[in-house]
Amino acid sequence: MSMTVYDGVAAIAPAHDGFILDLWGVIHDGRELYPGAVDCLTRLRDSGRRIVFLTNAPRRAARVIEQLDRFGVDRGLYDGVVSSGETARDAAAGLLAAGKIGRRVLHLGPPRDAGLLDGLDFTDAADADGADLVLNTGFDDEDPRLEPLMPALQAAAARGLPMICANPDMVIVRLDGSRFPCAGLMAQAYENLGGRVIAFGKPFASVYDRCLDILDLPRDRVAAVGDGPHTDIQGATDYGIPGYFIAGGILAEKLGLSHGAMPDPDIAARVCAEEGFAPTAMLPAFIWGR
């Protein structure tokens, strides 16, 4: 059975009034915008579509907007941003208020994300022995390896500390095809050690609820676009909305594609079956069309 493949967003736009769009792998690769992405956003807005960005970035939504500003994505091209980091922050505040987690936090992640819980009633812990909680925001850009983190993870697991994972993604892919590990990989390692993980972001329903509040549209008029099989597409499927898969992202190498190349429908169907996900259809990239 072949996969339905469209050459761009123009083919799907008439069926939907609103779009929930991933950022990494769809709009940009963390360093630069993908070719055609801003043009596609502009055409959607010109045709009256509402847009919200939903990202598994382990930082607050305001910082994501600032990054989009730096990339040159005009704020008029979208209606809002929902981030896994913002959702994790809100949930952590609620868990602390309910007495379900402690105040002392061991942060494992790059320094730029260390302030995710700033302004809340948490304090920093230097190590697992002095912590009540582990906040996982991913890997340091300078050393994106799991091995150096294992002693801290083992110590935290031995003490039964809960881990808040602010990004369930396992990996992201840059425009040049290079891959970078995400916080989900660390969370998986922690679970393998017997640790308890509380994760926020896609594919969990709470972030989609936030998106629909911003879009202010019926669920049956909204679709999602992303390149994460088990986050973007699984999240959309579980939430009951169409999920369109960007072939030139995480699975580009397995699909035998460079970014923006048209996927073969038969190969696409086989890869989806192997990966265990079922998108509504595939797009080569977030482009309007050829």
Side-chain angles (χ1 to χ4, degrees):
M1 184 175 180
S2 294
M3 171 65 59
T4 300
V5 176
Y6 297 116
D7 69 356
V9 174
I12 65 172
H16 311 291
D17 297 323
F19 286 88
I20 299 172
L21 303 179
D22 183 28
L23 282 173
W24 284 66
V26 176
I27 305 299
H28 65 74
D29 73 344
R31 295 173 177 170
E32 57 185 307
L33 293 172
Y34 285 115
V38 169
D39 172 69
C40 192
L41 288 171
T42 302
R43 289 172 183 266
L44 284 173
R45 294 299 269 180
D46 287 346
S47 64
R49 268 59 184 187
R50 295 182 63 78
I51 292 169
V52 63
F53 293 128
L54 173 57
T55 175
N56 276 356
R59 54 196 63 97
R60 301 198 66 181
R63 287 191 57 201
V64 176
I65 292 172
E66 290 170 359
Q67 182 186 42
L68 290 170
D69 289 344
R70 292 193 296 272
F71 281 142
V73 180
D74 189 276
R75 296 190 185 191
L77 293 177
Y78 56 95
D79 296 286
V81 171
V82 176
S83 71
S84 58
E86 191 83 43
T87 308
R89 174 188 166 88
D90 292 347
L95 291 170
L96 180 64
K100 294 182 179 180
I101 56 175
R103 297 178 59 247
R104 300 173 300 172
V105 180
L106 172 63
H107 174 236
L108 297 180
R112 65 173 178 271
D113 296 325
L116 180 61
L117 301 181
D118 284 358
L120 302 177
D121 194 22
F122 290 99
T123 61
D124 294 331
D127 53 38
D129 289 338
D132 303 310
L133 170 72
V134 178
L135 174 64
N136 166 17
T137 64
F139 293 83
D140 194 294
D141 291 340
E142 302 302 318
D143 188 5
R145 296 179 301 141
L146 185 60
E147 290 79 8
L149 299 171
M150 288 305 294
L153 294 175
Q154 290 165 345
R159 293 195 58 233
L161 303 185
M163 170 187 281
I164 287 183
C165 177
N167 175 2
D169 285 351
M170 303 294 283
V171 66
I172 57 96
V173 177
R174 301 195 189 278
L175 190 57
D176 63 6
S178 61
R179 302 169 75 84
F180 193 88
C182 292
L185 191 66
M186 194 193 309
Q188 183 182 68
Y190 195 61
E191 287 182 327
N192 290 341
L193 292 169
R196 178 168 69 96
V197 174
I198 312 168
F200 300 94
K202 296 172 284 187
F204 307 112
S206 59
V207 290
Y208 291 90
D209 289 339
R210 290 188 178 208
C211 289
L212 249 63
D213 286 344
I214 294 170
L215 291 172
D216 193 26
L217 291 169
R219 188 180 306 205
D220 62 3
R221 297 301 302 168
V222 174
V225 179
D227 75 321
H230 305 297
T231 50
D232 299 311
I233 303 306
Q234 190 62 51
T237 300
D238 291 348
Y239 200 67
I241 62 176
Y244 296 100
F245 185 72
I246 299 296
I250 290 173
L251 292 184
E253 184 176 357
K254 190 163 187 178
L255 288 163
L257 300 173
S258 58
H259 184 81
M262 283 291 289
D264 177 273
D266 295 325
I267 295 175
R270 174 178 57 77
V271 170
C272 288
E274 291 172 355
E275 294 290 325
F277 76 110
T280 301
M282 276 197 187
L283 305 167
F286 189 70
I287 55 176
W288 190 243
R290 299 182 184 279

